[in-house]
PDB file of all heavy atoms in Angstrom:
ATOM      1  N   TYR A 131      49.778  39.622 -50.601  1.00 96.00           N
ATOM      2  CA  TYR A 131      50.767  40.146 -49.724  1.00 96.00           C
ATOM      3  C   TYR A 131      52.120  39.373 -49.774  1.00 96.00           C
ATOM      4  O   TYR A 131      52.073  38.160 -49.799  1.00 96.00           O
ATOM      5  CB  TYR A 131      50.250  40.089 -48.223  1.00 96.00           C
ATOM      6  CG  TYR A 131      51.286  40.262 -47.217  1.00 96.00           C
ATOM      7  CD1 TYR A 131      51.836  41.562 -46.854  1.00 96.00           C
ATOM      8  CD2 TYR A 131      51.836  39.097 -46.524  1.00 96.00           C
ATOM      9  CE1 TYR A 131      52.789  41.591 -45.902  1.00 96.00           C
ATOM     10  CE2 TYR A 131      52.841  39.208 -45.631  1.00 96.00           C
ATOM     11  CZ  TYR A 131      53.297  40.509 -45.254  1.00 96.00           C
ATOM     12  OH  TYR A 131      54.279  40.614 -44.319  1.00 96.00           O
ATOM     13  N   PHE A 132      53.141  40.143 -49.817  1.00 97.00           N
ATOM     14  CA  PHE A 132      54.474  39.473 -49.758  1.00 97.00           C
ATOM     15  C   PHE A 132      55.259  40.056 -48.675  1.00 97.00           C
ATOM     16  O   PHE A 132      55.294  41.374 -48.487  1.00 97.00           O
ATOM     17  CB  PHE A 132      55.204  39.635 -51.151  1.00 97.00           C
ATOM     18  CG  PHE A 132      54.600  38.882 -52.314  1.00 97.00           C
ATOM     19  CD1 PHE A 132      53.812  39.507 -53.221  1.00 97.00           C
ATOM     20  CD2 PHE A 132      54.841  37.505 -52.379  1.00 97.00           C
ATOM     21  CE1 PHE A 132      53.251  38.779 -54.231  1.00 97.00           C
ATOM     22  CE2 PHE A 132      54.275  36.774 -53.401  1.00 97.00           C
ATOM     23  CZ  PHE A 132      53.457  37.378 -54.372  1.00 97.00           C
ATOM     24  N   PRO A 133      55.998  39.363 -47.901  1.00 96.00           N
ATOM     25  CA  PRO A 133      56.717  39.864 -46.721  1.00 96.00           C
ATOM     26  C   PRO A 133      58.141  40.295 -47.128  1.00 96.00           C
ATOM     27  O   PRO A 133      58.549  39.979 -48.197  1.00 96.00           O
ATOM     28  CB  PRO A 133      56.849  38.637 -45.801  1.00 96.00           C
ATOM     29  CG  PRO A 133      56.838  37.510 -46.727  1.00 96.00           C
ATOM     30  CD  PRO A 133      55.924  37.894 -47.876  1.00 96.00           C
ATOM     31  N   PRO A 134      58.756  41.098 -46.256  1.00 96.00           N
ATOM     32  CA  PRO A 134      60.150  41.604 -46.641  1.00 96.00           C
ATOM     33  C   PRO A 134      61.189  40.500 -46.583  1.00 96.00           C
ATOM     34  O   PRO A 134      62.233  40.631 -47.163  1.00 96.00           O
ATOM     35  CB  PRO A 134      60.344  42.647 -45.556  1.00 96.00           C
ATOM     36  CG  PRO A 134      59.513  42.267 -44.390  1.00 96.00           C
ATOM     37  CD  PRO A 134      58.298  41.658 -45.079  1.00 96.00           C
ATOM     38  N   GLU A 135      60.957  39.408 -45.810  1.00 95.00           N
ATOM     39  CA  GLU A 135      61.828  38.248 -45.814  1.00 95.00           C
ATOM     40  C   GLU A 135      61.000  36.972 -45.920  1.00 95.00           C
ATOM     41  O   GLU A 135      59.751  36.966 -45.637  1.00 95.00           O
ATOM     42  CB  GLU A 135      62.746  38.180 -44.583  1.00 95.00           C
ATOM     43  CG  GLU A 135      61.927  37.967 -43.248  1.00 95.00           C
ATOM     44  CD  GLU A 135      61.232  39.277 -42.726  1.00 95.00           C
ATOM     45  OE1 GLU A 135      61.775  40.381 -42.975  1.00 95.00           O
ATOM     46  OE2 GLU A 135      60.123  39.083 -42.123  1.00 95.00           O
ATOM     47  N   PRO A 136      61.572  35.839 -46.364  1.00 94.00           N
ATOM     48  CA  PRO A 136      60.806  34.647 -46.594  1.00 94.00           C
ATOM     49  C   PRO A 136      60.044  34.171 -45.253  1.00 94.00           C
ATOM     50  O   PRO A 136      60.723  34.087 -44.217  1.00 94.00           O
ATOM     51  CB  PRO A 136      61.800  33.622 -47.012  1.00 94.00           C
ATOM     52  CG  PRO A 136      62.942  34.381 -47.572  1.00 94.00           C
ATOM     53  CD  PRO A 136      62.987  35.691 -46.727  1.00 94.00           C
ATOM     54  N   ARG A 137      58.771  33.927 -45.303  1.00 90.00           N
ATOM     55  CA  ARG A 137      58.058  33.395 -44.193  1.00 90.00           C
ATOM     56  C   ARG A 137      56.744  32.893 -44.658  1.00 90.00           C
ATOM     57  O   ARG A 137      56.182  33.393 -45.617  1.00 90.00           O
ATOM     58  CB  ARG A 137      57.938  34.360 -43.013  1.00 90.00           C
ATOM     59  CG  ARG A 137      57.200  35.618 -43.322  1.00 90.00           C
ATOM     60  CD  ARG A 137      56.966  36.409 -41.987  1.00 90.00           C
ATOM     61  NE  ARG A 137      56.225  37.668 -42.153  1.00 90.00           N
ATOM     62  CZ  ARG A 137      56.809  38.909 -42.194  1.00 90.00           C
ATOM     63  NH1 ARG A 137      58.117  39.000 -41.922  1.00 90.00           N
ATOM     64  NH2 ARG A 137      56.081  39.922 -42.354  1.00 90.00           N
ATOM     65  N   HIS A 138      56.153  31.887 -43.881  1.00 84.00           N
ATOM     66  CA  HIS A 138      54.891  31.390 -44.191  1.00 84.00           C
ATOM     67  C   HIS A 138      54.748  30.837 -45.574  1.00 84.00           C
ATOM     68  O   HIS A 138      53.720  30.956 -46.229  1.00 84.00           O
ATOM     69  CB  HIS A 138      53.749  32.329 -43.850  1.00 84.00           C
ATOM     70  CG  HIS A 138      53.832  32.941 -42.491  1.00 84.00           C
ATOM     71  ND1 HIS A 138      53.845  32.131 -41.440  1.00 84.00           N
ATOM     72  CD2 HIS A 138      53.795  34.274 -42.081  1.00 84.00           C
ATOM     73  CE1 HIS A 138      53.923  32.972 -40.297  1.00 84.00           C
ATOM     74  NE2 HIS A 138      53.918  34.204 -40.694  1.00 84.00           N
TER      75      HIS A 138
END
Side-chain angles (χ1 to χ4, degrees):
Y131 162 81
F132 291 102
E135 65 280 327
R137 63 172 179 254
H138 305 307

